[in-house]
Amino acid sequence: MQRHNNKIPEDMESATTREFWEKSQPLPVWRKICFAIGGAPYQITSTVLGFFMSIFLLEVAQVDPSHVSVIVFGGKLWYAMTDPVCGYLVNRTKPSSWGKYKPWILLTMPFACVTYLCFWAVPDYSQQGKLWWYLVFYCLFQGFLSGVHVPYTSMTMSLSENQRDRDSITVYRMVAEAIGVMTGVIIQGHFIKKHRTAGSCEKGSSSSNQSSPSGDNINNQIGSYHNASVTIICIYVICILICFYGTKEQKVNHMAPEDGFFLGLQEVLFFHPYVKLSMSVLFLSVAISITQGNLALFCTHTLGMGRHFSTFITIIMASTICSLPIWHLVQKRIGKKKTFAAGMLLFIPVLLSQSYLGDNFYVYTVVLVLAGLSIAVSLLLPWSMLPDVIDEFYITHGEHRDAIFYSFYVFFNKLATGFAVASSQFALKFGGYRVGACQQPPSVGRALRYLMIPGPVVAVVIALVFLAQYPINDTKARLNAQKIKEKQSTTF
């Protein structure tokens, strides 16, 4: 088709040609921002659960540690299973006038909100009854969260076909998610710090010798968790609506093949670059999840600084947010793979320092700032590298299976998180953790210190080994993007 004066005659302009020229235009910044805001709810709720779920179940709901491990691992295992199933269903969904992914995000949102609110309630049940209550609602919430998060992450590939746009979208999204993490921590911390009594019962009664919090104090803590969850759900709804109405999916001309889910699953799971990247992310997730899930208890029962817990989380998240633009610049200069490796290497001395830390607020602040730098890399680089893997897969197999890639990416992450947190609860059980007690025996503090050091360090080393075998560098990613662009240009 010939063009005259850079304009296509209206009577000759086909729908596919208009689509091609539309895709060639840079994605507007406001659409990137709207899409990025949609990632905040996932990080807000996941971070709150990651940092506060253990102390809520142990200190407020007073669930036995062995039951907490069942709740956490069962919920994460269920979540890990629902991700691939959701990925399959999303992959088979026919695009509507709103797109292929956006209807999923909107329709599953109300169910996720209701189940999240129910999880933070404290029913007057026995230990067995509480086990089933929290397990059921945790599984339900994680399942509905899959219905939001899997299509949301998969939508990255349908917003733009330009690699620079995708990298830019990822940076916008990571910044929004980091802000979401900070928002969740500040909101949850603000509500619960007034009444949390772990490590001291002085707030809970007039007698500092009391071994457990008073009934009034428990009720106050229950109310604070409820108020925090309501506030977070309001933010959740607003962010999802902004994402839904502020983004526009492009029609992708390489639709998912119809040759079956299991064949596609086999191709994805045995695709060498995907295996190496996923395993690296999995083991890094184990290290971060163990650290994150036990930070509150570690500060309280090992360092004796539980009163500063909310401040510590704010510091680590502020460091994460501030370092995201820096890591993005580093990534552009030395490449994604080297930047990812640098962040993991920085995390090792942070973990090793846990052996020697005492109750020094300022020293621990420095350690947390360094930890925030590593967490920023874990937020930014895995999601920035995955589109490169999907492009490599398209070059190799001639087809796109985006939802399967993204759903199993989350699957590995959640499986690692569930294993890490569940094993931590078993360690607490063996360490002699006493349910409902304000002060714990010294053995609990020692068990927490052992949890924070050898296991996570080994996991980071294994993650580095897998990353070293990851074959796609930035030069190859750019060549793949160029090949795809040329291939698509020949179809018009």
Side-chain angles (χ1 to χ4, degrees):
M1 183 185 300
Q2 290 185 334
R3 292 186 297 146
H4 302 282
N5 299 323
N6 294 323
K7 184 177 180 181
I8 301 173
E10 227 176 279
D11 57 341
M12 297 177 63
E13 186 179 16
S14 66
T16 54
T17 306
R18 288 196 303 271
E19 180 185 326
F20 174 74
W21 289 111
E22 184 178 305
K23 288 180 182 179
S24 66
Q25 300 302 312
L27 196 65
V29 171
W30 69 272
R31 287 205 183 274
K32 295 179 184 179
I33 294 174
C34 289
F35 174 74
I37 290 173
Y42 171 79
Q43 287 297 338
I44 291 174
T45 54
S46 296
T47 301
V48 169
L49 287 168
F51 279 117
F52 295 93
M53 181 171 66
S54 290
I55 60 174
F56 168 74
L57 293 176
L58 292 170
E59 298 173 1
V60 181
Q62 299 188 355
V63 179
D64 187 86
S66 60
H67 289 173
V68 174
S69 66
V70 173
I71 293 167
V72 174
F73 186 72
K76 291 297 183 182
L77 182 61
W78 173 255
Y79 190 11
M81 290 165 50
T82 56
D83 281 333
V85 173
C86 185
Y88 168 70
L89 295 175
V90 169
N91 208 47
R92 306 287 293 184
T93 300
K94 301 296 183 183
S96 66
S97 58
W98 289 105
K100 180 176 181 178
Y101 304 109
K102 289 165 59 177
W104 276 88
I105 296 172
L106 185 67
L107 295 177
T108 52
M109 174 192 66
F111 301 101
C113 293
V114 171
T115 51
Y116 183 82
L117 289 172
C118 290
F119 178 81
W120 295 103
V122 180
D124 187 17
Y125 293 162
S126 64
Q127 282 290 327
Q128 196 70 21
K130 288 180 180 179
L131 167 64
W132 285 108
W133 173 275
Y134 291 113
L135 180 61
V136 168
F137 280 107
Y138 189 48
C139 287
L140 287 174
F141 172 70
Q142 298 284 29
F144 291 125
L145 193 60
S146 289
V148 175
H149 191 57
V150 169
Y152 171 77
T153 52
S154 301
M155 194 164 62
T156 304
M157 303 298 290
S158 70
L159 293 177
S160 175
E161 304 245 346
N162 184 283
Q163 186 192 14
R164 288 189 177 183
D165 268 343
R166 290 177 187 172
D167 289 342
S168 177
I169 289 168
T170 301
V171 173
Y172 276 88
R173 176 187 151 203
M174 292 303 107
V175 171
E177 289 187 354
I179 294 173
V181 168
M182 176 71 79
T183 302
V185 166
I186 291 175
I187 291 172
Q188 195 81 9
H190 171 74
F191 279 103
I192 73 167
K193 69 180 180 181
K194 298 178 183 178
H195 303 293
R196 184 171 182 245
T197 57
S200 172
C201 285
E202 294 177 1
K203 293 181 182 179
S205 89
S206 59
S207 173
S208 61
N209 295 321
Q210 185 176 338
S211 61
S212 60
S214 67
D216 288 341
N217 180 264
I218 290 293
N219 289 332
N220 288 335
Q221 291 192 67
I222 293 172
S224 65
Y225 277 97
H226 172 75
N227 293 336
S229 63
V230 170
T231 305
I232 286 172
I233 285 304
C234 291
I235 297 173
Y236 192 117
V237 172
I238 293 171
C239 290
I240 292 297
L241 292 177
I242 290 174
C243 178
F244 182 83
Y245 289 107
T247 56
K248 181 180 180 182
E249 295 181 35
Q250 295 181 356
K251 294 181 180 179
V252 183
N253 56 16
H254 40 261
M255 299 303 294
E258 301 292 334
D259 52 2
F261 172 75
F262 292 104
L263 177 59
L265 182 60
Q266 181 181 357
E267 291 177 345
V268 169
L269 293 183
F270 286 93
F271 188 55
H272 179 73
Y274 186 63
V275 171
K276 299 305 179 183
L277 181 60
S278 296
M279 290 299 101
S280 181
V281 173
L282 184 150
F283 282 99
L284 180 60
S285 297
V286 168
I288 291 177
S289 297
I290 291 176
T291 306
Q292 174 182 308
N294 294 289
L295 183 61
L297 297 171
F298 181 75
C299 291
T300 302
H301 303 299
T302 304
L303 302 182
M305 295 191 291
R307 64 189 181 280
H308 299 303
F309 168 58
S310 296
T311 303
F312 288 150
I313 300 180
T314 303
I315 290 170
I316 197 172
M317 290 300 107
S319 173
T320 300
I321 293 173
C322 293
S323 61
L324 277 172
I326 298 174
W327 284 120
H328 180 57
L329 293 175
V330 173
Q331 163 195 313
K332 292 172 68 175
R333 187 166 185 85
I334 68 174
K336 298 177 183 179
K337 183 176 177 179
K338 291 180 180 178
T339 304
F340 198 14
M344 284 194 272
L345 288 170
L346 182 63
F347 198 38
I348 292 177
V350 170
L351 293 170
L352 292 174
S353 68
Q354 309 301 312
S355 298
Y356 310 102
L357 291 172
D359 58 349
N360 189 310
F361 177 87
Y362 299 103
V363 172
Y364 199 52
T365 297
V366 174
V367 172
L368 292 175
V369 169
L370 295 176
L373 296 177
S374 299
I375 292 175
V377 171
S378 72
L379 287 175
L380 177 63
L381 270 299
W383 296 106
S384 180
M385 296 167 76
L386 184 56
D388 298 339
V389 175
I390 295 176
D391 284 346
E392 176 74 10
F393 184 85
Y394 181 59
I395 293 294
T396 305
H397 295 274
E399 56 194 29
H400 268 252
R401 298 186 183 273
D402 303 353
I404 298 178
F405 271 105
Y406 278 97
S407 61
F408 271 88
Y409 211 50
V410 179
F411 170 87
F412 293 129
N413 180 274
K414 296 308 171 187
L415 194 63
T417 303
F419 170 78
V421 179
S423 61
S424 299
Q425 298 302 320
F426 276 114
L428 285 177
K429 181 72 173 180
F430 287 119
Y433 187 91
R434 296 180 299 188
V435 176
C438 294
Q439 296 179 333
Q440 299 295 332
S443 58
V444 172
R446 290 193 296 271
L448 287 165
R449 196 181 290 274
Y450 295 146
L451 270 174
M452 300 286 278
I453 304 161
V457 171
V458 172
V460 173
V461 171
I462 296 174
L464 283 166
V465 171
F466 277 108
L467 182 63
Q469 302 172 51
Y470 175 70
I472 303 175
N473 55 29
D474 283 40
T475 301
K476 188 172 185 179
R478 284 192 293 269
L479 288 174
N480 285 342
Q482 184 63 31
K483 289 179 183 178
I484 292 173
K485 185 176 180 180
E486 292 173 355
K487 184 175 182 179
Q488 291 172 349
S489 298
T490 60
T491 63
F492 294 95

